[in-house]
Amino acid sequence: MVHLQTLRGLAASAVVATHAVEYPIRRGLLPEEFYRLAWALGWLGVAVFFVISGLIMIHSADREFGSAEAARRFALRRVVRVVPLYWLATIPFAVAQVARGEALTADMVVRSLLFIPYAGTGMEAARPIVGQGWTLNYEMLFYVLFTATLLLPRRIGLPVLLGFFPLVIALRSLVWPLVPYRDPTSPLPFWSDPITLLFVIGLVIGLVQLRRTQWHQVRHPVAGTVAVLGAAIAIFLAAGGGFPMPVWWQALFAVAGGLSAWLCTSHAGHRYPRAGLVAEAAGDASYSTYLFHPLMLMVLYAVWERTPLAAMRAGPALFVALALVACNVGGWLIFRWLERPLTRRLAALTGRKRPPLPVVA
């Protein structure tokens, strides 16, 4: 499990890097070509998160089909794990939005808190108040589907779980063609986006793993994962990939995300004692890091601009490196002092002795 936690930390760091790189680009310190790198990092991080989500969910509930009580427990665990911290994060993001002079309506607040996608005025894609929370809209859709299928006998529920998103996407393509691809701006195109197939990839990996008496034993899964993810980004950049990301590039990143999750399920992977502890801590805190890092970046760059290092040729690279460290440390502090105590308290109140395994979007 330590390797999957490391992979979570890598995915969260990729998203942090995405938003950190955008700061020097907007200030004209990096060419706009770097946007392609930034967005590719972010998309790949999200792909990894979604695959891991499918993998962990099937591990946690594989034997619970056909039970209303199991479905209730599953839904309650997911709500306790995801919703309270997200709602708390919405408060400072809403304050920042108002401080920037941007519109904030009651409808936007309600849709954000209830995970209903929407696109505000002038927005090119559906984004809630916590901008990166768009991925949680997909996560909650996946949890609703998973909860519903747990009510069914396994012989019915499992095929429905595996086939629902592919069927919805096939039907969607009759109304909103997948080529050329456009970012969804309303609920139905959003919920039927091909990105949901990443959950299915994770489900399949988890099901195969559960049914194999012997699983693979890659000696260096993290190193292999870094190579796979790096290769996907290199191919994307070298071949002129762009955004909105066409479905063939999404397929490449989906394969990379699936392969990285498969590698990190190795039963015999080498563990580095000290680095492993740091990587595991980053994975534990990945949800907090993911939710709060834009706020940390705003403060960090405001301070950074006032230092002599900002004027150096290597200033942008130094800022991104500092941002990765600072946001992961800040995320861990939020995890340690807010997320974990909050989750444990709510889990105790709802009758669960141990908080569920962290899964982030």
Side-chain angles (χ1 to χ4, degrees), residues 130-149:
V130 181
Q132 66 279 16
W134 66 271
T135 61
L136 295 179
N137 293 345
Y138 286 114
E139 286 279 357
M140 295 306 290
L141 173 65
F142 177 53
Y143 297 155
V144 169
L145 172 64
F146 208 118
T147 300
T149 57

Side-chain angles (χ1 to χ4, degrees), residues 212-257:
R212 290 288 298 272
T213 55
Q214 290 186 337
W215 193 237
H216 71 85
Q217 299 186 3
V218 177
R219 289 293 299 165
H220 297 283
V222 176
T225 291
V226 171
V228 167
L229 300 181
I233 291 177
I235 293 171
F236 176 82
L237 295 176
F243 288 81
M245 187 181 287
V247 291
W248 46 86
W249 288 119
Q250 293 185 34
L252 171 68
F253 281 29
V255 170

Side-chain angles (χ1 to χ4, degrees), residues 184-204:
T185 57
S186 57
L188 288 180
F190 186 94
W191 286 324
S192 59
D193 192 271
I195 199 173
T196 55
L197 294 178
L198 292 165
F199 296 119
V200 181
I201 293 173
L203 290 170
V204 171

Side-chain angles (χ1 to χ4, degrees), residues 24-182:
I25 296 175
R26 288 197 294 265
R27 268 63 171 189
L29 301 176
L30 285 176
E32 291 195 358
E33 176 66 15
F34 275 80
Y35 272 125
R36 294 174 58 237
L37 171 61
W39 294 332
L41 284 168
W43 210 100
L44 194 53
V46 169
V48 168
F49 278 136
F50 282 5
V51 172
I52 292 177
S53 184
L55 171 64
I56 296 300
M57 291 305 100
I58 198 63
H59 269 267
S60 68
D62 179 54
R63 300 183 181 276
E64 298 191 343
F65 284 92
S67 167
E69 177 58 24
R72 186 194 69 83
R73 288 197 307 269
F74 176 86
L76 190 59
R77 290 197 302 265
R78 292 296 88 210
V79 169
V80 167
R81 178 65 189 91
V82 173
V83 175
L85 192 67
Y86 177 68
W87 283 4
L88 286 176
T90 300
I91 297 172
F93 277 92
V95 171
Q97 186 166 321
V98 172
R100 292 193 299 266
E102 299 175 8
L104 181 66
T105 65
D107 180 67
M108 294 167 64
V109 173
V110 171
R111 286 173 177 263
S112 292
L113 296 180
L114 296 183
F115 304 95
I116 300 172
Y118 70 92
T121 304
M123 294 174 62
E124 297 179 355
R127 294 290 183 270
I129 294 171
V130 181
Q132 66 279 16
W134 66 271
T135 61
L136 295 179
N137 293 345
Y138 286 114
E139 286 279 357
M140 295 306 290
L141 173 65
F142 177 53
Y143 297 155
V144 169
L145 172 64
F146 208 118
T147 300
T149 57
L150 287 178
L151 295 170
L152 304 172
R154 180 183 178 81
R155 67 180 185 279
I156 300 174
L158 188 57
V160 171
L161 181 61
L162 293 172
F164 181 82
F165 286 133
L167 177 60
V168 166
I169 292 166
L171 294 175
R172 168 235 165 90
S173 65
L174 301 177
V175 181
W176 301 291
L178 297 178
V179 179
Y181 177 80
R182 293 180 176 84

